Amino acid sequence: MMLTTMEGAVLKVPPSFRTIKPNPNHTNRTFRTVPSATASAPAPLTTDTKLGPGSLGHLTRPDFPILHQELNGKRLVYLDNAATSQKPTAVLNALRNYYESYNSNVHRGIHYLSAKATDEYELARQKVANFINASDSREIVFTRNATEAINLVAYSWGLANLKEGDEVILTVAEHHSAIVPWQFVAQKTGAVLKFVSLTEEEVPDIEKLRETLSRQTKLIVVHHVSNVLASVLPIDQVVSWAHDVGAKVLVDACQSVPHMEVDVKSLGADFLVASSHKMCGPTGIGFLYGKSELLSAMPPFLGGGEMISDVYLDHSTYAEPPSRFEAGTPAIGEAIGLGAAIDYLSGIGMQKIHDYEVELANYLYENLRSIPNIRVYGPTPSKSINRAALCSFNVDDIHPTDIATFLDQQHSVAIRSGHHCAQPLHRYLGVNASARASLHFYNTKEDVDDFIRALSDTTNFFASFK
Amino acid sequence: MDSFILNSPLSPFPIFPKSLNPVKSCSPSNIKLNPTKLPIYSRIPSKKTEKCNSLFCLTPQGPPPSITQSLSVSEKVQSLDFEFKSLPQPIDRVKRLLHYATLLPPFDESSKIQENRVMGCTAQVWLNVKMDDNGVMRFRVDSDSEITKGFCSCLIWVLDGAEAEDVLMVKTEDLIEMNIGFQSRGNSRVNMWNNVLISMQKRTKILIGERGKKEEEHKTLEAFSSLFVVNGGCKETKSRINRFGKLLKDNSMNELDMLTKNIT
Ligand SMILES: Cc1ncc(COP(=O)(O)O)c(C=O)c1O
């Protein structure tokens, strides 16, 4: 099913692919290596061929109108993609088209517009299912965002299945949205939350996770890609260990689905969540993937229209999943926009996106390390360890918020500062906050170069005030 | 480049240097331009401050501190508004804030406790608030971010030493010019100085409430003591007065009623 859709989607190549051809005579030769303190410096991981003119970033940039603006007379460099991604014209058009030509409520009317809206809404569900290789679109529940999807699992599956003494294993690197709902559930049920720390390489320690597993373990809640460390966890392995003791696995795939092929079948995940806005789709929509047999056995999360079968005055019977979990009028236009985003991403190809981002991630990491007194968190990339295309860092004696403010004001470079909704992780790393530059496939080598130049200027500026 | 600088006091420092661009509409009439004299702030015996001289291209000379020191809260707010309006370039605002950060009065490290944290800031901020016996507010703030410190320094200059009632009068909108660049104009969880201002006002309100309660306690106690004096000779007097005090504090009005009934 995945294959057929992918083939179908290839026909809908984003316009930029048709108009801009890579220029093979014009490869970029100004590749910078990182000055390293040790004599045995590893060979640079970046090869400039993929990053020069005609790169995926250069080809896709034209599809993102928002990127072509100046702030304070400087070209906008948007490096806050882990917080939210930008939207291509195809998605904006899909939203516009929905509201201009067939806006209507879904599942509720027999008239043409409602039928069309319902079809498109359900088609979007099918697109999500294909995108992550779910067996059936009924395994996809639309939610407001990943946070709501996690809360859905916590309140529905968690409250029904966890009891005193049961254990939920998480890592210290989880996003708050994957921690707090389970704290609520733990307080209500008496289940225990166990947190796995990091290895010396600053990667969540999955060996420790394995040791923590026992017959008491009922659930593992883990991220696929860390939004701070840029590490990637071997989810398939974690799942097989979990299933050995009869535990379920909920994967927070917010930072992986937008950047790489994610296949729920090969991962074996029981639940998986992601947010549309991080994958070039609109805000206000996200999804939960859940295995059919799990969703079917789960009680509703919210009550209202859409989710019922029959309502009597004293009780109701509930619709089958996914409707059971979609109370009230859903975010119709947003779901359709997400469908358009998936078409756009599939048109490029997730593998292609991933390959390019690995290259750009290494380029970012290597250049960032050339800034004096910088500490970049997470694993060192190598031939065997790929980092996601983001770097969280601190520069000695300069608050990350001051860095982000200056980069924004003086250089029109947008990065994030703060704890990135991962306070326990920052506490573990011994800092209160960090700065984070995060890339997407529409970023270019020039974006990274501008950022590094700007950061260098920023650190010099603050040093002059000391 | 001609610009002139208005000096105003930043407590506890005697002088708070400010430079204003020659934006006609907002130039206070009492400012003198005197490019020949040494900067007043360079006389502040602080190493850090001296380094910041490069910020200001012309030497400042303003009204004597005695005059600026007596600026009211709203005048100070206005003067800050003028000052930041005259700096349209974000980098100049950042520089100005970093300079003011160096003037921030020291913060007692032992006050860096959870209760004193200002929440909702992307940087860490601590706020210590006290009220003098005569209702004058004392604020101390610290942050791990230099830019935030700069904002806090401005707030301290405006509000430290002000009457509690005046502290509550200041509105976020009045200080909106302090924002650097395109920062959102409204309330935002990253709008750092706004959170600090709101915390200052909240804590001031609490202290006003506590003072009101104390005053009432005091009055009632005085009334009762005179009652005891009249009834003098009663052995229990002292312990009763103490008990009154405690009951008043706890708001135990029923018991208090009983006790007063006993007396009369
Ligand atoms: C790893 C991770 N998990 C969960 C979330 C929460 O996503 P949302 O705020 O869209 O629900 C985010 C986004 O910040 C994230 O990066």
Side-chain angles (χ1 to χ4, degrees):
Chain A
M1 198 177 258
M2 175 80 166
L3 266 180
T4 48
T5 324
M6 295 293 273
E7 277 164 15
V10 171
L11 297 173
K12 295 188 231 161
V13 197
S16 57
F17 275 74
R18 278 176 257 127
T19 50
I20 303 176
K21 287 201 197 90
N23 183 348
N25 303 323
H26 199 145
T27 46
N28 198 317
R29 310 244 169 243
T30 53
F31 169 61
R32 281 164 69 192
T33 51
V34 201
S36 172
T38 54
S40 59
L45 292 158
T46 337
T47 52
D48 55 347
T49 49
K50 275 195 182 139
L51 301 182
S55 77
L56 187 60
H58 293 99
L59 289 176
T60 52
R61 255 181 75 79
D63 300 339
F64 294 80
I66 200 171
L67 299 177
H68 308 278
Q69 58 177 303
E70 288 193 346
L71 301 173
N72 266 339
K74 294 228 169 74
R75 180 178 86 89
L76 165 70
V77 176
Y78 184 77
L79 301 182
D80 193 17
N81 294 284
T84 201
S85 65
Q86 297 305 347
K87 325 301 172 201
T89 309
V91 170
L92 306 179
N93 287 345
L95 283 170
R96 189 185 180 88
N97 185 33
Y98 165 69
Y99 284 112
E100 277 185 357
S101 48
Y102 61 97
N103 168 51
S104 200
N105 212 329
V106 291
H107 304 140
R108 289 184 188 182
I110 47 135
H111 55 82
Y112 171 77
L113 293 188
S114 177
K116 166 101 169 132
T118 305
D119 282 354
E120 293 294 325
Y121 178 73
E122 289 304 322
L123 181 61
R125 195 192 303 280
Q126 186 63 53
K127 286 175 184 175
V128 174
N130 295 342
F131 193 60
I132 60 168
N133 199 25
S135 312
D136 195 311
S137 68
R138 283 171 297 185
E139 293 183 318
I140 306 299
V141 180
F142 281 130
T143 58
R144 273 194 305 148
N145 45 38
T147 302
E148 191 179 77
I150 296 170
N151 276 277
L152 195 168
V153 179
Y155 281 94
S156 173
W157 184 90
L159 290 183
N161 288 281
L162 295 175
K163 55 180 193 316
E164 187 151 2
D166 285 347
E167 293 178 2
V168 178
I169 302 180
L170 311 93
T171 80
V172 293
E174 297 315 313
H175 191 276
H176 293 167
S177 66
I179 297 177
V180 183
W182 298 105
Q183 291 175 338
F184 291 156
V185 170
Q187 278 159 15
K188 286 202 166 83
T189 60
V192 180
L193 305 186
K194 293 201 156 178
F195 289 89
V196 173
S197 56
L198 309 184
T199 64
E200 263 177 23
E201 290 76 37
E202 288 184 350
V203 175
D205 192 338
I206 58 157
E207 278 309 318
K208 248 189 212 151
L209 185 148
R210 189 179 194 176
E211 288 161 19
T212 313
L213 276 168
S214 74
R215 284 277 153 202
Q216 270 73 55
T217 312
K218 292 294 175 297
L219 179 72
I220 298 178
V221 181
V222 273
H223 60 275
H224 192 181
V225 167
S226 164
N227 68 326
V228 176
L229 301 169
S231 50
V232 188
L233 289 180
I235 296 296
D236 48 348
Q237 220 168 67
V238 172
V239 168
S240 88
W241 297 337
H243 288 177
D244 283 347
V245 297
K248 306 282 181 247
V249 179
L250 163 59
V251 181
D252 172 359
C254 280
Q255 299 293 346
S256 60
V257 167
H259 303 279
M260 60 200 270
E261 270 181 8
V262 171
D263 178 334
V264 290
K265 281 208 199 91
S266 72
L267 294 178
D270 299 292
F271 299 107
L272 182 137
V273 302
S275 271
S276 152
H277 68 92
K278 293 185 200 277
M279 51 194 287
C280 301
T283 53
I285 188 105
F287 65 87
L288 162 69
Y289 157 82
K291 282 183 177 161
S292 276
E293 65 269 26
L294 290 172
L295 292 180
S296 302
M298 280 158 54
F301 168 44
L302 299 170
E306 295 287 336
M307 50 76 68
I308 39 81
S309 174
D310 286 303
V311 177
Y312 305 93
L313 287 183
D314 57 345
H315 79 285
S316 302
T317 56
Y318 306 117
E320 285 302 305
S323 304
R324 185 185 298 169
F325 305 107
E326 293 179 6
T329 300
I332 305 163
E334 286 80 354
I336 291 166
L338 168 59
I342 287 175
D343 286 342
Y344 177 81
L345 294 172
S346 308
I348 300 168
M350 291 314 290
Q351 191 56 49
K352 194 163 172 181
I353 286 176
H354 182 63
D355 292 346
Y356 173 69
E357 285 191 13
V358 167
E359 210 70 24
L360 202 59
N362 288 336
Y363 186 71
L364 170 67
Y365 186 86
E366 287 169 2
N367 282 280
L368 207 48
R369 290 274 294 261
S370 69
I371 301 282
N373 304 319
I374 198 166
R375 162 104 154 76
V376 182
Y377 302 102
T380 309
S382 67
K383 289 267 181 270
S384 59
I385 298 172
N386 282 343
R387 279 178 61 104
L390 65 90
C391 286
S392 303
F393 61 92
N394 267 306
V395 179
D396 283 355
D397 300 327
I398 312 178
H399 196 279
T401 297
D402 293 348
I403 293 179
T405 303
F406 195 82
L407 282 175
D408 172 50
Q409 295 302 316
Q410 189 61 9
H411 298 283
S412 298
V413 175
I415 67 161
R416 172 112 186 242
S417 82
H419 49 60
H420 319 304
C421 296
Q423 269 186 324
L425 175 59
H426 278 81
R427 224 168 269 136
Y428 184 88
L429 294 168
V431 289
N432 288 303
S434 62
R436 179 183 70 189
S438 55
L439 311 172
H440 216 155
F441 60 87
Y442 44 75
N443 284 120
T444 60
K445 177 177 170 293
E446 287 73 29
D447 287 341
V448 176
D449 291 340
D450 282 359
F451 163 58
I452 298 291
R453 250 194 310 276
L455 180 61
S456 181
D457 178 58
T458 304
T459 55
N460 289 338
F461 174 82
F462 282 101
S464 73
F465 269 85
K466 294 261 153 58
Chain B
M1 176 179 152
D2 28 357
S3 69
F4 44 88
I5 292 170
L6 163 70
N7 288 304
S8 34
L10 173 67
S11 172
F13 298 97
I15 298 138
F16 191 56
K18 291 162 145 244
S19 64
L20 285 166
N21 275 348
V23 179
K24 291 233 167 57
S25 62
C26 62
S27 46
S29 54
N30 63 341
I31 297 169
K32 276 186 276 166
L33 183 63
N34 190 345
T36 51
K37 288 209 175 134
L38 269 179
I40 283 187
Y41 48 79
S42 67
R43 289 187 228 141
I44 300 169
S46 152
K47 252 191 182 169
K48 276 188 171 174
T49 345
E50 275 171 25
K51 268 200 170 179
C52 294
N53 292 353
S54 60
L55 269 182
F56 309 99
C57 38
L58 272 186
T59 49
Q61 182 60 290
S66 55
I67 295 177
T68 54
Q69 233 150 22
S70 60
L71 285 178
S72 70
V73 166
S74 67
E75 283 165 335
K76 284 179 174 177
V77 166
Q78 255 179 14
S79 122
L80 267 183
D81 185 62
F82 282 149
E83 176 173 6
F84 280 91
K85 262 202 188 101
S86 73
L87 297 170
Q89 290 304 318
I91 189 163
D92 294 328
R93 292 178 178 221
V94 173
K95 282 179 178 171
R96 186 65 52 83
L97 288 168
L98 289 179
H99 172 61
Y100 290 161
T102 64
L103 303 179
L104 188 67
F107 190 88
D108 180 7
E109 285 297 312
S110 65
S111 296
K112 286 193 176 173
I113 49 173
Q114 193 60 25
E115 295 86 84
N116 284 340
R117 278 285 302 280
V118 178
M119 288 309 171
C121 296
T122 56
Q124 295 193 96
V125 179
W126 294 269
L127 169 66
N128 204 354
V129 184
K130 287 200 177 86
M131 187 194 275
D132 283 2
D133 289 340
N134 45 5
V136 167
M137 298 307 299
R138 292 289 164 202
F139 297 103
R140 284 295 175 268
V141 195
D142 202 2
S143 173
D144 52 354
S145 145
E146 289 298 313
I147 294 176
T148 308
K149 264 192 195 168
F151 285 127
C152 293
S153 186
C154 293
L155 289 175
I156 291 250
W157 176 66
V158 173
L159 296 176
D160 184 51
E163 300 276 331
E165 286 71 21
D166 291 338
V167 170
L168 299 184
M169 301 280 279
V170 177
K171 289 193 215 70
T172 301
E173 301 88 81
D174 303 338
L175 287 166
I176 220 91
E177 284 299 330
M178 280 205 310
N179 281 348
I180 32 179
F182 312 102
Q183 262 182 35
S184 77
R185 302 244 134 192
N187 299 344
S188 148
R189 51 182 175 165
V190 297
N191 195 333
M192 297 167 276
W193 63 263
N194 184 38
N195 286 335
V196 178
L197 173 63
I198 287 172
S199 287
M200 284 173 153
Q201 294 179 327
K202 262 192 194 157
R203 304 263 294 267
T204 300
K205 258 188 209 156
I206 293 173
L207 289 174
I208 291 176
E210 280 174 9
R211 185 182 56 168
K213 235 176 162 184
K214 253 191 211 148
E215 272 172 5
E216 226 160 82
E217 248 173 55
H218 197 73
K219 273 190 207 145
T220 330
L221 260 180
E222 261 176 6
F224 281 131
S225 332
S226 55
L227 204 65
F228 288 127
V229 172
V230 174
N231 286 345
C234 175
K235 273 185 188 170
E236 293 175 289
T237 308
K238 213 173 168 191
S239 71
R240 278 201 187 202
I241 291 179
N242 287 343
R243 230 175 120 202
F244 272 130
K246 193 182 173 312
L247 291 176
L248 275 168
K249 228 189 219 155
D250 300 348
N251 270 337
S252 310
M253 294 317 280
N254 281 349
E255 252 189 86
L256 200 70
D257 268 357
M258 302 256 292
L259 208 63
T260 43
K261 266 181 203 141
N262 273 346
I263 296 171
T264 46

